[in-house]
């Protein structure tokens, strides 16, 4: 009896300590998350009571809203290019920064710093960098006699500009890859070298396979992140030109806060949730085939 | 299992705890950011979105009001414009709205429709309401009235007209005193004023006609018939206007235009960076606030000992053949009282004070502080306002537009922001050449019809 009460007290103390987070989570995350299931079947403008409309929001989204499909396509395109290129750039950088050079930690810091700059600040800077007339990118191109495009104002280039910009923040994943590289047992390389493996073979058969758990982690996080891309487009292009950067989350935001169409936006959020779950599920399912845990 | 902790850890923990406690204590000890000057009076909480110099102007008006009576204290609070609407909505739905809010976003129809705003005509006496209807400029009524009820009182309408650089005109052999009387003639002037560099890049734009919402009324079109209360989206007049805008861009080359425009500094940086003042445009369409900005810039430059020889003139946009004069887009700053405001009466008294519904002669002064367009002719004719116009003769062009019936704000429908966004897209797709003007307007009509159908299905208001 005494033992149990002591245990209860200990448990309660534990809960009391995590209560600030727990309450915050329940009130600000779990609550709205669950409420949005109901709201997605209603018309709701924040102010008045939600009115049940059945599956009308979903029907309209799937059959009558071209911008919904366009925003989905934009987001898919972005994810399809930005995620793999982020992984390639991240791994490549980590490999480079894994070399034992004098002052390597300085280089590591330099490459990591951009990832801790808030996206809003980066976006504002990139608006300048990508300015077609006076921007850094086009000024450099001009030195080589190339007339750079109207990056953010050209519908064929705007999305690519944002993908290009996404590589700027690759330092965050790079640092995780770097930690992964440091974790690869040295004896594997030694054994390979004794067997006469060259640098490429070592990279191909040891480094990359041993990094796959990290790549897997970054792939999952990157997928979730890419489908939620919002800030860059909100700050830099507002979805334009001609909806070429109308990301799903941006359109969702517009529906929710510009048009006060919370029911519709909730339905959008749930469709996005299902899409992300499907993709994450596929990645999870496939991981047995390509992720090596070294044992 | 006890582990022996090092004394340093203990010391660090104690220091951290002391710092934390001091920090929390300091938060409570710091004075509240807004100090009341008249704590015994009834507080009227006033939210607005101005910042910097503009916020000071608003503060001064509030102070003037506070000095002028003894019952209320208007306490202004500058709310970041990007979050202001959200903050307002959450405050109203949370039951704690401000007493008064200054807005410039197209929100009256949708907020009024959602019963978020107090009908101001109900705050007026029948005589006041009648007086308002008889004296307020047509555009002030178009902005403020939704379905026959007044929800917003304009304290500064924005109207657009042409700014021209006489020096450029003279260089090109054009006489500033014989400014074009037709849009066609103005376009010819624009061609003569364009300047290119050796590579063929545009370095100075003569004149580039702007956006559809401005030009549709000039072409006798527009998106709403304020008499029959019906949308007029895909009209032959709007098509003419859009075709005109598309052709103007095509002539210079769309990429050239974009490259030129994006090379300019953001005009929202302030008057000093305005491309017209920087000589990038010879003739530019812009709002009346530039007059006041240029005046301040000149004053500051002279004060700092710099030279000031910038010369400019203003003129209304001349109509095309078959178009309308004194026409164009208009929007403005207006004051609204949320429903559930605790001090609606105090807020209303302040609205009357600022707008000039009460004592227009006194209010005229406030309008000149911001270079704002008056709500009615009484304010416009008040000595203080007339003095301002005499000192800033370029302002008269804008003032002369005010009595016009041809100024058109965004259509007062309950899904106004959606509609404004879609009109913007129409403009975007057509002027970039992705859709023909016919296709763009048809798409607009189709999208709005679809939205109306959806709203009908949801039993929302569709007007």
């Amino acid at each position: 009896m005494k033992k149990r009460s002591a245990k209860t007290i200990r448990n309660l103390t534990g809960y009391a300590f995590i209560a600030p987070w727990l309450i915050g989570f329940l009130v600000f995350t779990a609550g709205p998350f669950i409420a949005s299931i109901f709201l997605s079947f209603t018309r709701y403008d924040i102010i008045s009571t939600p009115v049940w409309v059945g599956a009308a929001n979903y029907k309209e989204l799937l059959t009558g809203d071209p911008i919904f499909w366009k925003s989905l396509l934009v987001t898919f395109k972005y994810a399809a290019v930005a995620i793999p290129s982020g992984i390639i750039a991240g791994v490549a950088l980590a490999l480079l920064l894994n070399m034992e050079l004098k002052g390597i930690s300085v280089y590591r810091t330099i490459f990591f710093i951009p990832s801790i700059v808030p996206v809003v600040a980066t976006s504002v800077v990139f608006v300048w960098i990508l300015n077609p007339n006076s921007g850094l990118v086009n000024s450099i191109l001009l030195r080589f006699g190339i007339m750079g495009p109207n990056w953010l104002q050209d519908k064929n280039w705007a999305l690519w500009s944002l993908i290009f910009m996404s590589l700027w923040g690759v330092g965050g994943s790079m640092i995780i890859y770097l930690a992964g590289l440091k974790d690869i047992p040295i004896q594997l390389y030694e054994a390979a070298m004794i067997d006469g493996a060259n640098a490429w073979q070592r990279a191909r058969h040891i480094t990359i396979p041993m990094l796959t758990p990290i790549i897997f982690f970054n792939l999952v996080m990157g997928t979730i992140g890419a489908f939620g891309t919002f800030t860059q487009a909100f700050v830099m292009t507002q979805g334009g030109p001609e909806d070429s950067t109308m990301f799903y989350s941006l359109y969702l935001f517009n529906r929710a806060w510009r048009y006060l169409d919370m029911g519709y936006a909730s339905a959008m959020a749930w469709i996005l949730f299902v899409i992300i779950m499907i993709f994450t599920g596929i990645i999870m399912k496939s991981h047995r085939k390509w992720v090596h845990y070294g044992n | 299992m006890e582990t022996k902790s090092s004394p340093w850890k203990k010391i660090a923990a104690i220091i951290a705890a002391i710092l934390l406690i001091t920090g929390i204590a300091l938060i409570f000890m710091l004075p509240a950011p807004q100090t009341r000057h008249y704590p015994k009076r009834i507080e009227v909480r006033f939210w607005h979105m101005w910042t910097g110099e503009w916020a000071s102007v608003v503060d001064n008006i509030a102070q003037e009001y506070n000095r002028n009576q003894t019952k209320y204290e208007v306490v202004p609070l500058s709310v970041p414009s990007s979050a202001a609407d959200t903050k307002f909505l959450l405050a109203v739905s949370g039951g704690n709205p401000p007493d008064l809010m200054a807005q410039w976003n197209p929100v009256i129809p949708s907020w009024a429709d959602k019963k978020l705003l107090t009908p101001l005509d109900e705050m007026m006496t029948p005589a006041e309401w009648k007086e308002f209807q008889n004296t307020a400029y047509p555009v002030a009524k178009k902005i403020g009235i939704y379905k026959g009820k007044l929800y917003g009182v304009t304290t500064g309408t924005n109207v657009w007209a042409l700014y021209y650089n006489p020096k450029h005109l003279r260089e090109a052999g054009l006489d500033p005193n014989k400014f074009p009387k037709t849009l066609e003639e103005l376009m010819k002037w624009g061609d003569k004023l364009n300047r290119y560099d050796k590579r063929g890049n545009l370095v100075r734009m003569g004149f580039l006609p702007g956006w559809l919402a401005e030009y549709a009324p000039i072409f006798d079109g527009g998106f709403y018939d304020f008499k029959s209360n019906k949308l007029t989206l895909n009209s032959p007049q709007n098509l003419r206007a859009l075709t005109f805008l598309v052709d103007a861009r095509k002539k210079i080359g769309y990429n050239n235009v974009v490259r030129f425009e994006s090379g300019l500094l953001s005009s929202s940086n302030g008057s000093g960076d305005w491309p017209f003042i920087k000589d990038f445009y010879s003739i530019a369409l812009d709002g009346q606030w530039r007059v006041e900005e240029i005046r301040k810039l000149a004053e500051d430059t002279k004060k700092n000992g710099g030279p000031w020889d910038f010369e400019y003139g203003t003129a209304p946009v001349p109509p095309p053949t078959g178009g309308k004069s004194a026409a164009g887009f208009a929007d403005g700053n207006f004051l609204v009282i949320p429903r559930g405001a605790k001090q609606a009466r105090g807020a209303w008294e302040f609205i009357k004070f600022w707008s000039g519904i009460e004592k227009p002669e006194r209010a005229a002064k406030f309008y000149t502080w911001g270079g704002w367009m008056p709500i009615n002719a009484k304010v416009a004719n008040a000595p203080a306002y007339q003095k301002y116009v005499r000192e800033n003769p370029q302002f008269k062009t804008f003032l002369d537009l005010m009595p016009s019936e041809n100024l058109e704000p965004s259509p007062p429908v309950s899904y106004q922001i959606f509609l404004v966004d879609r009109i913007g897209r129409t403009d975007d797709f057509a002027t970039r050449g992705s859709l023909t003007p016919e296709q763009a307007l048809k798409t607009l009509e189709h999208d709005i019809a679809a939205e109306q159908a959806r709203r009908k299905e949801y039993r929302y208001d569709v007007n």
Side-chain angles (χ1 to χ4, degrees):
Chain A
M1 187 71 192
K2 203 175 175 189
K3 206 175 178 187
R4 192 192 281 169
S5 76
K7 199 179 171 191
T8 316
I9 286 171
R10 219 173 46 226
N11 282 345
L12 284 177
T13 317
Y15 281 120
F17 270 106
I18 59 165
W21 181 86
L22 209 57
I23 293 167
F25 174 75
L26 289 175
V27 174
F28 295 115
T29 308
F33 183 76
I34 291 160
S36 73
I37 303 177
F38 165 71
L39 290 176
S40 73
F41 293 99
T42 63
R43 58 162 242 217
Y44 176 49
D45 57 16
I46 316 180
I47 296 99
S48 22
T49 333
V51 178
W52 185 264
V53 292
N57 288 326
Y58 290 97
K59 197 185 104 201
E60 170 70 16
L61 274 168
L62 300 173
T63 60
D65 188 346
I67 301 183
F68 164 77
W69 289 106
K70 210 164 186 180
S71 69
L72 207 53
L73 186 70
V74 166
T75 311
F76 271 120
K77 261 200 223 167
Y78 177 83
V81 185
I83 300 170
S85 47
I87 290 175
I88 293 169
V91 172
L93 265 181
L95 286 173
L96 283 175
L97 295 173
N98 195 31
M99 290 192 287
E100 295 302 327
L101 290 175
K102 205 177 166 191
I104 191 77
S105 53
V106 176
Y107 293 118
R108 283 178 195 154
T109 313
I110 291 172
F111 278 96
F112 181 66
I113 283 176
S115 69
I116 55 170
V117 176
V119 187
V120 174
T122 313
S123 303
V124 173
V125 171
F126 264 80
V127 169
W128 280 101
I129 293 179
L130 295 173
N131 184 302
N133 260 349
S134 50
L136 184 70
V137 177
N138 277 8
S139 308
I140 294 171
L141 288 176
L142 199 62
R143 289 192 174 220
F144 296 98
I146 302 165
M147 187 81 155
N150 287 331
W151 298 102
L152 294 170
Q153 287 83 20
D154 187 327
K155 65 170 175 177
N156 299 318
W157 282 99
L159 184 62
W160 290 102
S161 309
L162 296 191
I163 291 172
F164 167 62
M165 194 187 111
S166 73
L167 294 179
W168 182 249
V170 84
S173 58
M174 175 209 76
I175 220 81
I176 305 177
Y177 290 123
L178 200 57
L181 286 175
K182 295 271 172 221
D183 236 17
I184 302 175
I186 192 83
Q187 59 267 35
L188 291 180
Y189 290 106
E190 285 168 358
M193 279 162 91
I194 292 167
D195 287 346
N198 61 24
W200 164 248
Q201 284 167 328
R202 289 198 301 274
R204 166 80 184 77
H205 295 286
I206 299 173
T207 314
I208 304 290
M210 292 301 285
L211 263 190
T212 48
I214 317 279
I215 296 178
F216 170 67
F217 169 77
N218 276 331
L219 180 63
V220 173
M221 298 313 282
T223 308
I224 296 170
F227 279 105
T229 307
F230 169 78
T231 318
Q232 300 90 310
F234 182 70
V235 174
M236 296 167 77
T237 59
Q238 291 85 47
E242 298 182 38
D243 297 336
S244 60
T245 57
M246 183 57 85
F247 281 89
Y248 195 92
S249 301
L250 180 61
Y251 185 48
L252 191 158
F253 173 86
N254 283 346
R255 277 282 171 183
W257 291 105
R258 272 183 78 76
Y259 311 149
L260 296 183
D261 225 343
M262 283 290 165
Y264 200 80
S266 298
M268 283 188 75
W270 275 94
I271 291 174
L272 182 65
F273 179 73
V274 170
I275 292 171
I276 293 178
M277 287 307 279
I278 290 172
F279 273 89
T280 316
I282 292 171
I283 298 168
M284 289 288 202
K285 196 113 199 165
S286 75
H287 97 289
R288 272 194 214 101
K289 290 194 180 140
W290 62 275
V291 180
H292 303 273
Y293 287 102
N295 45 9
Chain B
M1 207 171 73
E2 285 270 314
T3 51
K4 212 176 171 188
S5 60
S6 88
W8 288 111
K9 269 190 188 166
K10 264 189 192 164
I11 293 168
I14 291 168
I15 292 174
I18 291 171
L19 281 176
L20 193 72
I21 293 164
T22 326
I24 293 169
L26 267 177
I27 291 171
F28 287 102
M29 278 154 65
L30 284 174
Q34 190 80 52
T35 45
R36 296 273 308 269
H37 298 292
Y38 307 95
K40 283 188 185 151
R41 294 195 199 167
I42 301 169
E43 183 186 15
V44 175
R45 294 190 305 142
F46 168 40
W47 289 1
H48 64 80
M49 305 189 283
W50 283 284
T51 51
E53 282 175 38
W54 294 101
S56 318
V57 172
V58 174
D59 287 348
N60 289 341
I61 297 171
Q63 273 175 33
E64 190 89 4
Y65 175 71
N66 293 338
R67 273 197 294 271
N68 233 278
Q69 42 75 50
T70 52
K71 191 171 176 189
Y72 300 105
E73 181 183 5
V74 170
V75 182
L77 177 71
S78 175
V79 177
S81 64
S82 57
D85 291 4
T86 317
K87 188 177 162 79
F88 176 85
L89 293 168
L90 294 175
V92 178
S93 55
N96 188 22
D99 300 308
L100 179 68
M101 184 166 190
Q103 259 290 353
W104 54 64
N105 295 327
V107 292
I108 287 184
S110 65
W111 288 4
D113 199 55
K114 292 182 191 351
K115 310 232 175 326
L116 300 180
L117 302 178
T118 306
L120 301 177
D121 48 291
E122 290 174 12
M123 313 276 301
M124 294 179 176
T125 62
E128 275 175 333
W129 178 221
K130 205 170 170 195
E131 165 86 359
F132 178 85
Q133 286 174 304
N134 289 337
T135 55
Y137 284 133
V139 64
K141 287 188 273 188
K142 282 180 185 170
I143 291 173
I145 294 178
Y146 175 65
K147 291 193 173 168
K149 296 225 149 261
L150 179 72
Y151 290 99
V153 170
T154 54
T155 49
T157 311
N158 293 321
V159 286
W160 279 257
L162 301 171
Y163 286 80
Y164 60 84
N165 186 322
K167 223 189 276 174
H168 293 183
L169 265 50
R170 283 192 293 267
E171 276 165 20
L174 303 164
D175 183 356
N177 297 319
K178 291 180 185 155
F179 201 79
K181 293 279 178 269
T182 66
L183 193 55
E184 291 82 1
E185 201 188 335
L186 178 66
M187 294 307 288
K188 280 184 198 147
W189 275 40
D191 291 345
K192 284 184 192 161
L193 290 159
N194 286 339
R195 292 287 175 272
Y196 297 86
D197 67 7
K198 281 179 203 152
R199 283 180 297 170
N201 289 333
L202 199 62
V203 287
R204 196 179 83 195
M205 182 81 79
F207 172 64
L208 181 72
W211 77 118
L212 182 61
E214 164 72 18
Y215 279 85
I218 294 173
F219 277 79
D220 195 18
F223 297 100
Y224 194 77
D225 181 354
F226 282 83
K227 288 193 185 95
S228 64
N229 294 325
K230 290 230 159 65
L231 284 173
T232 51
L233 302 174
N234 189 7
S235 66
Q237 292 89 339
N238 288 355
L239 179 62
R240 245 188 96 201
L242 189 55
T243 311
F244 164 76
L245 295 176
V246 170
D247 288 348
R249 267 155 208 263
K250 252 191 216 158
K251 207 158 113 191
I252 301 173
Y254 183 72
N255 269 338
N256 268 340
V257 173
V258 169
R259 201 168 283 276
F260 173 77
E261 284 184 336
S262 48
L264 307 171
L265 287 168
S266 166
S267 51
S268 55
N269 283 358
S271 51
D273 287 339
W274 182 30
F276 175 74
I277 245 181
K278 291 267 183 195
D279 269 0
F280 287 111
Y281 285 99
S282 299
I283 302 172
L285 181 79
D286 221 306
Q288 82 291 334
W289 61 88
R290 295 292 188 189
V291 174
E292 176 64 12
E293 281 185 358
I294 296 175
R295 188 194 66 75
K296 279 190 184 146
L297 187 69
E299 200 177 85
D300 291 348
T301 314
K302 283 181 208 158
K303 212 185 279 169
N304 296 331
W308 182 264
D309 58 354
F310 186 74
E311 190 190 347
Y312 77 102
T314 56
V317 181
T321 327
K324 283 194 292 197
S325 57
F329 177 74
D331 63 9
N333 316 320
F334 48 86
L335 299 168
V336 294
I337 300 180
R339 270 203 204 237
K342 288 174 194 76
Q343 297 307 332
R345 186 46 63 183
W348 172 244
E349 292 301 323
F350 181 54
I351 291 181
K352 285 200 289 185
F353 178 85
W354 182 351
S355 66
I357 288 178
E358 182 189 280
K359 296 195 183 166
E361 293 80 16
R362 178 181 60 196
K365 175 172 66 178
F366 311 140
Y367 283 92
T368 64
W369 287 351
W372 288 313
M373 305 308 290
I375 191 168
N376 56 32
K378 283 186 179 174
V379 175
N381 294 329
Y385 205 86
Q386 283 301 316
K387 181 172 173 269
Y388 179 77
V389 178
R390 275 196 304 279
E391 285 164 5
N392 300 278
Q394 293 92 341
F395 204 75
K396 193 170 181 306
T397 303
F398 298 92
L399 189 60
D400 289 347
L401 289 173
M402 286 305 288
S404 171
E405 292 277 355
N406 302 337
L407 295 174
E408 295 223 351
S410 300
V413 290
S414 51
Y415 46 96
Q416 195 178 37
I417 298 180
F418 181 86
L419 178 59
V420 168
D421 279 1
R422 292 305 159 116
I423 294 172
R425 282 180 91 232
T426 308
D427 218 338
D428 196 25
F429 276 76
T431 47
R432 281 166 190 270
S434 296
L435 292 178
T436 62
E438 290 88 353
Q439 287 168 334
L441 284 172
K442 247 185 212 153
T443 309
L444 172 68
E445 198 176 33
H446 170 268
D447 287 356
I448 298 304
E451 178 66 12
Q452 284 176 332
R454 191 175 80 91
R455 295 179 71 85
K456 214 175 244 172
E457 195 185 329
Y458 285 16
R459 294 185 299 281
Y460 270 133
D461 188 90
V462 287
N463 294 314

